[in-house]
């Protein structure tokens, strides 16, 4: 049984037209798979490699370079919350915010809450320094955050 | 100085700043029409004459870079739009993309016509989800309106623009790291030469330009070279190598100011004016201790250096690496430079791609030394060691492939050069400033 559905495969195939070779579809394919299944398992890597006519080691090499992708043994929670720790946020309480959010959820950066709902990570500059400290939930940015505002955001998710 | 009328940010407060209809109502895509009536070489010459310099950090003249492409190449030629914006403190590309996507698309189209490219890739950092969705919609509108695709504006010019999302790595902003990443590989910067103009994306001639650089193009085409050169700081006639700092520039102001903001001004505004006038002054009634002039890679200005003009030359004159991204980060007098420098070093240690020993080891050792100092176990010799490591890494000493390591070394050089007594006092006092967050992140 393949792990990638026909729908996922088609979405990956649709990317081929944009590039002169299939290898360039590695990042798009990894994004499509991780978005759908919260991780990219070893089986998925093999199937991506097959679609892209690459060796699984090539896909894996690219995937692991970017801290963004999660292997099958470390899947993401339902939502991923990134707390910025870079300079502009640090100067306005970003690190304390990270500490409070982690404590509140009972995790350390990188971990997922036991109910699988939220993964917390630290991030480098999110490019929203005018709203420091800020966080990213999946790929939506929220500015001028406090422990309470993050808690409210998480409750509403 | 009279208030400057924004150019690049002129439309961002309009309710309809993102739609094609809104853009066209403001005269959008007329510059492209004008450019398409010109020979590509004439557009390149115009951009060269305007002395527009790259806004991505290096300040290389855009038109000149385009002339490095091989002549009569059978193609394809590629344009890579550098939208990886990840230099800490920098967020102007994000605002340009989120609030006025068609200004960027028009700039891309003008550049592609000038360099005879029919394919542009926008390499967008993953974190910019809103930019992604806004650009995706804008590109779709352009295809539907005949502004992209086979016959742009009814001419024989063909152009496809594709959005390519990154995956959270600063090094993808370095132009050859970007190219490797786009090709589906780890983002290891390439040894140069060959430069991308000769052998770039998919081994074809390639131009890489920053979002803000490209956003200037429609205005240069429409208002002309003389207009562009009437803004900013002219070249110093006594210095034949000075290319001047012309045009409008987006300055990002963040950190310890009352009103963090992105403001558009003529090149050459001083750090003091940015802080006092545009940033609303230092927060909590405090004083400035240090200012990052253009992203942390550029180093620090001291409180005595706030009148430095932030054009391409100003920061160099006070020992900084350059103007960088013109991202100004203000540090107040209650903040420890040891903690600030540690934050910078940790960033580079995290983001070094690891292929050059001097960078991989150097960024990691500088971070470890500073963490030891912050744990109250520093020695005065550590400060010399830091300086020695910083002096040994980078393109400038010739030990690394890309400029990340020069950018990693510079905050260390400037901090120890300009704030050494504070570091010595910190070490002597045996103070420590490790926080619970440090411990959490150490677990990771
Ligand atoms: C480590 C590193 C990171 C960089 N990050 C970016 C970036 O995020 N965006 C950018 O436009 N340029 C970045 N640059 C500069 C690019 O290599 C390149 O000079 C630039 O994209 C050229 O465009 P421009 O001439 O229009 O500025 C970076 C350079 C280095 C060494
Ligand atoms: S200088 Fe650093 S980031 Fe640049 S290529 Fe070398 S190791 Fe990678
Ligand atoms: S430093 Fe946090 S968004 Fe830039």
């Amino acid at each position: 049984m393949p792990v990638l559905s026909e729908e996922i495969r088609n979405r990956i195939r649709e990317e081929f037209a944009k590039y002169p070779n299939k290898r360039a579809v590695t990042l798009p394919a990894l994004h499509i798979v991780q978005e759908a299944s919260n991780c990219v398992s070893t089986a998925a890597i093999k199937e991506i490699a097959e679609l892209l006519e690459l060796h699984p080691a090539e896909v894996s090499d690219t995937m692991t370079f970017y801290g963004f992708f999660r292997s099958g043994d470390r899947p993401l929670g339902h939502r991923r919350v990134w707390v910025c720790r870079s300079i502009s946020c640090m100067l306005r309480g970003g690190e304390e915010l990270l500490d409070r959010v982690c404590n509140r959820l009972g995790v350390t950066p990188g971990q997922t809450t036991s109910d699988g709902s939220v993964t917390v990570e630290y991030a480098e500059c999110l490019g929203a320094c005018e709203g420091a400290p800020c966080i990213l939930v999946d790929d939506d940015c929220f500015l001028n955050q406090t422990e309470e505002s993050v808690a409210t955001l998480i409750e509403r998710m | 100085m009279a208030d400057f009328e924004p150019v690049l940010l002129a439309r961002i407060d309009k309710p309809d700043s993102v739609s094609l209809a809104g853009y066209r109502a403001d005269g959008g895509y007329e510059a492209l029409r004008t450019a398409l009536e010109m020979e590509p070489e004439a557009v390149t010459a115009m951009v060269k004459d305007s002395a527009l310099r790259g806004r991505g950090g290096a300040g290389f003249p855009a038109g000149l870079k385009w002339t490095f492409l091989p002549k009569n190449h059978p193609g394809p030629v590629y344009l890579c739009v550098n939208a990886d914006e990840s230099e800490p403190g920098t967020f102007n590309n994000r605002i340009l993309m989120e609030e006025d996507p068609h200004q960027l698309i028009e700039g891309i189209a003008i550049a592609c016509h000038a360099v005879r490219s029919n394919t542009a890739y926008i390499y967008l950092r993953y974190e910019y989800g809103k930019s992604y969705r806004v650009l995706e919609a804008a590109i779709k509108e352009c295809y539907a309106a005949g502004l992209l695709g086979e016959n742009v504006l009814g001419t024989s010019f063909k152009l496809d623009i594709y959005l390519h999302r990154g995956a959270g790595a600063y090094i993808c902003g370095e132009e050859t790291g970007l190219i490797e990443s786009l090709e589906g590989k780890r983002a290891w910067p390439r040894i140069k030469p060959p430069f991308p103009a000769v052998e770039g994306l998919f081994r074809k001639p390639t131009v890489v330009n920053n979002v803000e650089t490209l956003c200037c193009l429609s205005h240069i085409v429409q208002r002309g070279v003389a207009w562009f050169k009437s803004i900013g700081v002219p070249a110093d006639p006594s210095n034949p190598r000075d290319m001047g700092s012309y045009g409008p520039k987006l300055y990002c102001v963040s950190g310890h100011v009352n009103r963090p903001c992105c403001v558009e001004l003529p090149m050459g505004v001083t750090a003091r004016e940015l802080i006092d006038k545009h940033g609303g002054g230092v927060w909590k009634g405090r004083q400035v201790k240090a200012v990052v002039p253009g992203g942390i890679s550029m180093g620090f200005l001291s409180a005595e250096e706030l009148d430095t003009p932030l054009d391409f030359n100003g920061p160099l004159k006070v020992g900084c690496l350059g103007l960088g991204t013109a991202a100004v980060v203000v540090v107040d007098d209650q903040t420890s430079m040891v903690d600030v420098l540690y934050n910078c070093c940790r960033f580079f240690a995290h983001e070094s791609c690891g292929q050059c020993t001097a960078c991989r080891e150097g960024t990691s050792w500088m971070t470890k030394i500073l963490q030891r100092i912050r744990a109250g176990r520093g020695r005065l010799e550590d400060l010399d060691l830091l300086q020695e490591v910083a002096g040994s890494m980078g393109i400038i000493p010739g030990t690394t492939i890309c400029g990340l390591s020069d950018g990693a070394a510079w905050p260390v050089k400037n901090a120890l050069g300009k704030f050494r007594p504070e570091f010595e006092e910190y070490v002597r006092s045996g103070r420590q400033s490790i926080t619970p967050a440090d411990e959490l992140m150490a677990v990771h």
Side-chain angles (χ1 to χ4, degrees):
Chain A
M1 252 304 264
V3 294
L4 301 184
S5 69
E6 200 49 34
E7 191 245 322
I8 295 285
R9 284 160 187 273
N10 282 335
R11 281 180 55 200
I12 294 173
R13 287 186 193 110
E14 273 168 30
E15 296 289 318
F16 291 164
K18 302 180 185 172
Y19 307 91
N21 67 40
K22 290 183 179 168
R23 182 166 197 170
V25 176
T26 306
L27 275 189
L30 289 167
H31 278 305
I32 290 169
V33 172
Q34 176 153 301
E35 221 168 83
S37 44
N38 290 334
C39 66
V40 187
S41 65
T42 308
I45 290 174
K46 283 188 186 152
E47 290 176 29
I48 292 172
E50 214 170 286
L51 275 168
L52 270 47
E53 294 166 31
L54 296 172
H55 193 283
E58 293 174 294
V59 176
S60 176
D61 181 57
T62 300
M63 169 172 148
T64 53
F65 179 82
Y66 304 91
F68 183 83
F69 300 107
R70 290 296 190 103
S71 54
D73 57 346
R74 284 179 73 232
L76 290 169
H78 180 55
R79 284 287 157 79
R80 191 182 214 181
V81 173
W82 303 88
V83 182
C84 179
R85 66 171 188 173
S86 291
I87 186 162
S88 306
C89 287
M90 179 275 267
L91 291 172
R92 298 178 79 104
E95 296 197 345
E96 290 79 358
L97 182 66
L98 175 68
D99 179 49
R100 304 251 167 73
V101 171
C102 283
N103 274 333
R104 200 172 179 122
L105 296 174
V107 294
T108 58
Q111 289 183 337
T112 303
T113 52
S114 52
D115 64 354
S117 62
V118 184
T119 302
V120 180
E121 313 228 27
Y122 56 72
E124 299 296 358
C125 181
L126 295 171
C129 329
E130 81 272 42
C134 58
I135 67 162
L136 197 69
V137 179
D138 297 330
D139 67 2
D140 286 315
C141 199
F142 296 88
L143 310 186
N144 301 312
Q145 293 298 295
T146 61
E147 182 186 358
E148 292 69 35
S149 67
V150 175
T152 312
L153 270 174
I154 289 174
E155 269 160 38
R156 292 213 189 111
M157 287 178 339
Chain B
M1 187 171 42
D3 270 352
F4 177 70
E5 185 83 32
V7 178
L8 305 176
L9 298 184
R11 302 185 62 256
I12 65 163
D13 290 327
K14 298 199 171 189
D16 197 18
S17 73
V18 299
S19 80
L20 178 56
Y23 189 65
R24 287 198 128 165
D26 291 334
Y29 291 104
E30 286 310 312
L32 175 60
R33 196 182 295 280
T34 306
L36 290 177
E37 284 163 8
M38 295 163 65
E39 283 300 315
E41 290 71 22
V43 179
T44 299
M46 188 176 195
V47 174
K48 202 173 155 191
D49 290 345
S50 78
L52 167 65
R53 292 172 65 175
R55 292 347 192 192
F60 197 84
L64 181 64
K65 179 152 75 182
W66 301 354
T67 65
F68 296 158
L69 290 163
K71 306 280 173 281
N72 305 317
H73 191 273
V77 171
Y78 293 111
L79 174 72
C80 292
V81 181
N82 195 336
D84 194 55
E85 187 168 71
S86 311
E87 175 70 26
T90 314
F91 48 94
N92 56 1
N93 286 182
R94 190 197 88 234
I95 292 172
L96 290 168
M97 293 186 286
E98 285 181 357
E99 307 295 341
D100 200 352
H102 288 285
Q103 175 174 252
L104 173 61
I105 295 171
E106 185 168 17
I108 293 171
I110 293 169
C112 283
H113 171 61
V115 303
R116 297 179 189 271
S117 167
N118 304 113
T119 312
Y121 293 98
I122 303 177
Y123 190 102
L124 180 66
R125 67 178 303 197
Y126 183 83
E127 293 82 348
Y128 283 3
K130 183 172 176 197
S131 299
Y132 176 74
R133 287 179 277 279
V134 168
L135 281 169
E136 193 180 36
I139 290 170
K140 212 169 150 192
E141 275 186 300
C142 285
Y143 275 104
L147 285 158
L148 287 176
E150 283 300 325
N151 300 103
V152 173
L153 282 169
T155 67
S156 60
F157 176 54
K158 170 180 184 294
L159 178 60
D160 287 309
I161 299 182
Y162 301 117
L163 272 168
H164 189 96
R165 298 183 84 172
Y170 171 69
I171 197 59
C172 295
E174 195 280 338
E175 56 188 7
T176 58
L178 182 153
I179 287 169
E180 288 283 309
S181 177
L182 235 166
E183 290 183 358
K185 303 176 211 156
R186 52 169 72 187
W188 272 11
R190 293 178 183 168
I191 293 172
K192 287 163 269 194
F195 287 95
V198 175
E199 194 179 303
L201 184 63
F202 306 118
R203 304 279 156 195
K204 300 293 180 191
T206 301
V207 169
V208 184
N209 273 130
N210 172 264
V211 167
E212 188 185 344
T213 312
L214 293 164
C215 285
C216 291
L217 296 178
S218 61
H219 306 285
I220 292 172
V221 168
Q222 209 146 33
R223 304 194 205 184
V225 167
W227 163 79
F228 193 76
K229 293 187 89 168
S230 71
I231 302 167
V233 181
D236 174 359
S238 68
N239 177 2
R241 302 237 308 273
D242 184 7
M243 295 168 282
S245 302
Y246 298 106
K249 180 78 195 81
L250 303 190
Y251 291 90
C252 299
V253 186
S254 68
H256 292 152
V257 287
N258 283 313
R259 284 196 311 273
C261 62
C262 173
V263 56
E264 180 176 3
L265 293 164
M267 279 260 183
V269 60
T270 65
R272 189 184 305 283
E273 190 179 337
L274 283 170
I275 297 166
D276 292 344
K277 187 166 167 202
H278 304 282
V282 183
W283 76 347
K284 303 182 182 175
R286 294 178 186 169
Q287 302 296 313
V288 172
K289 177 185 276 187
V291 173
V292 168
I296 59 173
S297 301
M298 298 300 122
F300 299 102
L301 301 173
S302 67
E304 292 72 46
E305 295 166 341
L306 296 185
D307 294 312
T308 304
L310 298 183
D311 57 14
F312 285 110
N313 287 329
L316 292 170
K317 290 184 185 153
V318 291
C320 294
L321 186 52
L323 177 65
T325 61
V328 170
V329 184
V330 179
V331 178
D332 73 19
D333 58 356
Q334 304 293 302
T335 304
S336 160
M337 283 307 284
V338 178
D339 293 338
V340 170
L341 186 61
Y342 171 71
N343 186 280
C344 298
C345 287
R346 185 182 66 190
F347 174 82
F348 292 109
H350 190 253
E351 299 299 336
S352 166
C353 83
Q355 66 172 324
C356 315
T357 309
C359 174
R360 180 182 67 241
E361 298 290 325
T363 53
S364 157
W365 277 110
M366 293 192 308
T367 309
K368 284 180 188 154
I369 293 167
L370 281 159
Q371 193 66 322
R372 187 167 70 206
I373 294 175
R374 292 179 74 234
R377 292 184 279 110
R379 304 159 307 179
L380 282 176
E381 306 90 88
D382 286 341
L383 303 180
D384 297 326
L385 187 56
L386 273 172
Q387 239 162 342
E388 193 184 314
V389 176
S392 68
M393 57 192 283
I395 293 180
I396 295 170
T399 54
T400 66
I401 292 172
C402 93
L404 180 140
S405 45
D406 301 87
W410 230 265
V412 176
K413 289 184 189 181
N414 280 174
L416 290 173
K418 301 180 185 184
F419 301 91
R420 188 163 177 127
E422 182 183 339
F423 281 79
E424 289 179 354
E425 195 275 327
Y426 189 107
V427 169
R428 280 208 194 90
S429 71
R431 189 146 28 108
Q432 71 100 16
S433 49
I434 300 274
T435 64
D438 283 307
E439 272 148 33
L440 266 181
M441 287 185 275
V443 175
H444 188 49

